[in-house]
Amino acid sequence: MAVAADDAAYNDDGGETMQYLLMIYGEEGGWEKMTPEEQQRGAAAYMAYTEALAASGVLKGSNRLRPSSTATTVRAKDGKTQVLDGPYADSKEQLGGYYLIDVPDLDAALSWAGRCPAVGHGLVEVRAVWSM
Amino acid sequence: MVTGEESDALAQSTADAVARRSYGKLIAFLAARTHDVAAAEDALSEAFASALTDWPRNGCPENPEAWLLTVARRKFIDALRRTQNVDPDVDVLTLGAIPDEAASDDIPDRRLALLFACAHPAIEVAIRAPLMLQTILGLDAKAIASAFLMSPAAMGKRLVRAKEKIRQAGIPFRVPERAELPERLDAVLEAIYAAFAEGWSDAAGTDAARRDLTAEALFLAGLVAELLPNEPEALGLTALMLHSEARRRARRSRDGDYVPLAQQNRELWDWNMIDQAEGLLRRASSMGTIGRYQLEAAIQSAHVDRCRTGRPNWSEVLHLYDALIAITGSPVVAVNRALAVAETGGPQAGLEAMPDAADDPRLAAYQPYWAARAELLARAGAAAEARHSLEIAIGLAGDPAVRRFLEQRRALLAV
């Protein structure tokens, strides 16, 4: 097959990598509505996913966030700091956690995002990170 | 003695020829590592400008492609140095990514990888075809905008955004792995077909920008078929487009009226193109994986064969439509299939096979659906209903030639 033969020439990405933030959005009430067995299965799925990322050497960081009901938003207006109770966007789906990964390109990032358990109950936004 | 004007003209025509043949190759090569398509375009356009001042003076270089690459590469690196707050490593990387002229006699062809980047799932569907036309063929935003009935400013903005996405999001320049190839290739072919359809919708060929688009789309399809010779759908799409293009001159009468397939003057068909299409289709079918484009090309091929031999082959056509529906589930295909059903089983059977616009709002606004319904209703003797469907078809017709044709049908019904 010609493609296979030419892969080496085309896939010349030089070994540089990029960091991507996989942001997990989901409905927050979802977790409480689950049975203890479902919660256990869910937690195990995330654990396995995190381990797979770590074992592949791409994981740079990961955390789960506390509920958005505990969020506080800060901005400055006319030089005066305003502190507001609640998240920035009052939408049904909220940022609940993230993975920071180091991979060659968007395809690799999307492929990891697709395996994240979050895609079953919410969604994953993939954003490239500026390298400083 | 070559005059200044002559050498200017020679430089221009050499540059044009290289642009046509090598533009996408040079862009793909320059942008492969950095993913910066816009910077590659700027560098290459500067290189072309240099060529037009240098070549008349010093004569056209023996290898114009390599000459352009050398200059473009230098401009590209200069621009990177100017615009980016680069760490010292970047220069080394860039130089490594873009080898110098010593190696450029044989510039690797990464156009296929560039096409896959343009049709990446992370790129908005509607901008994929314009992006390919710009990056592979060097069409400017203005020409593309006019072909896609969009303002040049809006088209320019969306192209810039798409290129920014390729660069910033790290969309790879790569031919996908075997497992993903069918789906990803489908996106490339779909974008090429969209470009072709834009050119095709100007049936009268009065708008040069759109007419050219069918030729550009054919070039892209041929390129994919050449670079992926074992992908039957790439061959199928090329065959399908060649079949359509071959009948272009016969689609309108001398007065600009719409001419249905059965009444077309076959001497106006381009038989050379048809032979080419048939050859590609045979090669594709020998690979043993059927697909949407091969089936559509096979339907075209069957129509041509029927017109050529006078032998009715509607059951064969119906068979192909059945397979096509199974793959696409498209209501448009269902409409065409119903017409084939009518040819084998009579107008009533055709009407029963016709999908219902009430179930699909897309059909309700699809002119050929109402025209096809009207045709079958008229044949079944339901003149009043046929007339009603024709009215709707006329109201939906965007092409004046098609509208005139439908109005003539309506006049016949009244008698």
Side-chain angles (χ1 to χ4, degrees):
Chain A
M1 166 103 200
V3 185
D6 289 337
D7 269 355
Y10 286 118
N11 300 349
D12 173 22
D13 46 27
E16 300 135 60
T17 57
M18 286 176 73
Q19 292 201 350
Y20 291 85
L21 191 63
L22 313 186
M23 290 175 280
I24 296 168
Y25 285 84
E27 254 183 87
E28 290 186 312
W31 182 258
E32 280 72 42
K33 279 184 225 140
M34 285 159 87
T35 66
E37 291 80 45
E38 286 171 333
Q39 286 186 349
Q40 212 170 11
R41 265 206 306 279
Y46 272 101
M47 205 118 69
Y49 179 65
T50 311
E51 251 167 54
L53 281 167
S56 308
V58 301
L59 186 63
K60 289 287 146 193
S62 160
N63 269 309
R64 186 180 166 198
L65 303 183
R66 290 177 193 262
S68 66
S69 57
T70 68
T72 313
T73 313
V74 182
R75 52 162 63 97
K77 208 172 180 188
D78 305 325
K80 201 173 166 302
T81 307
Q82 280 185 347
V83 177
L84 283 170
D85 179 35
Y88 165 59
D90 193 15
S91 60
K92 205 166 79 176
E93 266 142 351
Q94 289 288 341
L95 182 63
Y98 69 86
Y99 287 94
L100 181 65
I101 61 172
D102 198 17
V103 292
D105 55 43
L106 182 65
D107 280 359
L110 295 181
S111 139
W112 278 112
R115 281 175 275 184
C116 179
V119 296
H121 61 83
L123 58 93
V124 178
E125 182 176 325
V126 180
R127 292 271 287 273
V129 172
W130 274 115
S131 54
M132 297 281 186
Chain B
M1 188 60 204
V2 181
T3 69
E5 256 171 57
E6 275 166 353
S7 62
D8 280 357
L10 182 64
Q12 181 73 55
S13 73
T14 309
D16 288 347
V18 182
R20 173 82 198 174
R21 198 179 57 241
S22 312
Y23 187 89
K25 213 169 143 187
L26 292 168
I27 291 291
F29 186 75
L30 287 164
R33 178 72 61 91
T34 59
H35 299 193
D36 198 337
V37 175
E41 285 173 340
D42 289 346
L44 189 54
S45 93
E46 281 185 58
F48 272 108
S50 304
L52 291 182
T53 56
D54 184 283
W55 296 357
R57 257 203 319 266
N58 303 319
C60 289
E62 209 166 294
N63 185 345
E65 197 177 69
W67 191 98
L68 284 163
L69 182 61
T70 305
V71 176
R73 180 177 163 276
R74 206 165 50 226
K75 308 259 183 205
F76 191 85
I77 292 166
D78 285 350
L80 273 183
R81 285 203 181 110
R82 265 199 317 274
T83 57
Q84 295 189 353
N85 39 350
V86 285
D87 55 76
D89 287 352
V90 167
D91 272 9
V92 181
L93 281 177
T94 313
L95 290 164
I98 312 167
D100 65 12
E101 60 272 30
S104 64
D105 269 1
D106 187 23
I107 302 166
D109 191 348
R110 298 204 170 97
R111 280 179 295 184
L112 196 55
L114 179 55
L115 280 170
F116 276 105
C118 291
H120 193 277
I123 298 286
E124 184 201 348
V125 173
I127 201 67
R128 292 177 190 168
L131 197 54
M132 287 177 178
L133 292 167
Q134 178 155 74
T135 58
I136 301 283
L137 299 167
L139 267 63
D140 64 14
K142 206 174 134 213
I144 300 169
S146 103
F148 283 81
L149 301 178
M150 224 194 213
S151 85
M155 178 60 85
K157 227 179 273 170
R158 290 175 69 186
L159 283 166
V160 167
R161 218 181 119 229
K163 282 178 252 178
E164 271 301 290
K165 174 93 193 241
I166 289 178
R167 184 172 72 87
Q168 301 250 27
I171 289 177
F173 281 46
R174 173 201 302 142
V175 176
E177 310 284 334
R178 196 73 214 254
E180 320 168 76
L181 189 61
E183 202 179 319
R184 295 284 312 276
L185 178 61
D186 204 45
V188 170
L189 298 180
E190 203 177 295
I192 293 174
Y193 198 35
F196 184 79
E198 283 302 326
W200 188 236
S201 60
D202 175 44
T206 45
D207 184 340
R210 306 183 83 187
R211 191 177 56 230
D212 286 341
L213 223 46
T214 60
E216 308 293 15
L218 263 168
F219 178 85
L220 289 177
L223 184 66
V224 176
E226 184 191 317
L227 297 174
L228 289 175
N230 298 321
E231 290 300 324
E233 278 293 89
L235 305 180
L237 175 64
T238 313
L240 170 63
M241 286 168 25
L242 282 168
H243 261 306
S244 301
E245 190 64 10
R247 302 199 300 262
R248 167 178 292 282
R249 282 187 306 153
R251 288 174 82 209
R252 293 290 182 267
S253 72
R254 208 170 296 155
D255 308 324
D257 281 337
Y258 169 79
V259 185
L261 179 67
Q263 280 140 47
Q264 287 177 8
N265 177 357
R266 293 199 296 279
E267 276 167 30
L268 293 177
W269 291 0
D270 186 329
W271 289 96
N272 187 21
M273 265 190 205
I274 291 172
D275 286 346
Q276 248 179 291
E278 295 290 281
L280 287 169
L281 196 53
R282 267 197 303 276
R283 233 175 76 207
S285 62
S286 73
M287 294 172 193
T289 315
I290 200 68
R292 176 197 158 187
Y293 295 117
Q294 291 170 76
L295 284 168
E296 287 195 44
I299 290 168
Q300 296 304 314
S301 166
H303 287 326
V304 166
D305 191 56
R306 186 181 60 253
C307 294
R308 174 159 45 186
T309 62
R311 181 183 64 86
N313 58 356
W314 287 104
S315 60
E316 186 188 324
V317 170
L318 188 55
H319 214 67
L320 292 167
Y321 273 124
D322 286 341
L324 192 53
I325 286 224
I327 291 181
T328 64
S330 150
V332 168
V333 175
V335 172
N336 288 316
R337 181 183 169 276
L339 288 172
V341 168
E343 294 295 336
T344 54
Q348 200 52 49
L351 282 168
E352 277 157 26
M354 191 68 85
D356 192 344
D359 299 337
D360 194 326
R362 282 172 302 173
L363 272 187
Y366 183 59
Q367 172 259 313
Y369 165 73
W370 294 103
R373 259 185 78 85
E375 180 64 33
L376 296 188
L377 285 164
R379 278 194 232 163
E385 285 178 83
R387 204 183 159 75
H388 174 70
S389 286
L390 261 179
E391 294 288 350
I392 300 175
I394 292 166
L396 289 170
D399 182 339
V402 171
R403 195 178 314 127
R404 274 199 307 279
F405 174 78
L406 294 170
E407 281 162 355
Q408 283 158 15
R409 307 291 296 174
R410 184 177 55 181
L412 284 175
L413 264 184
V415 180

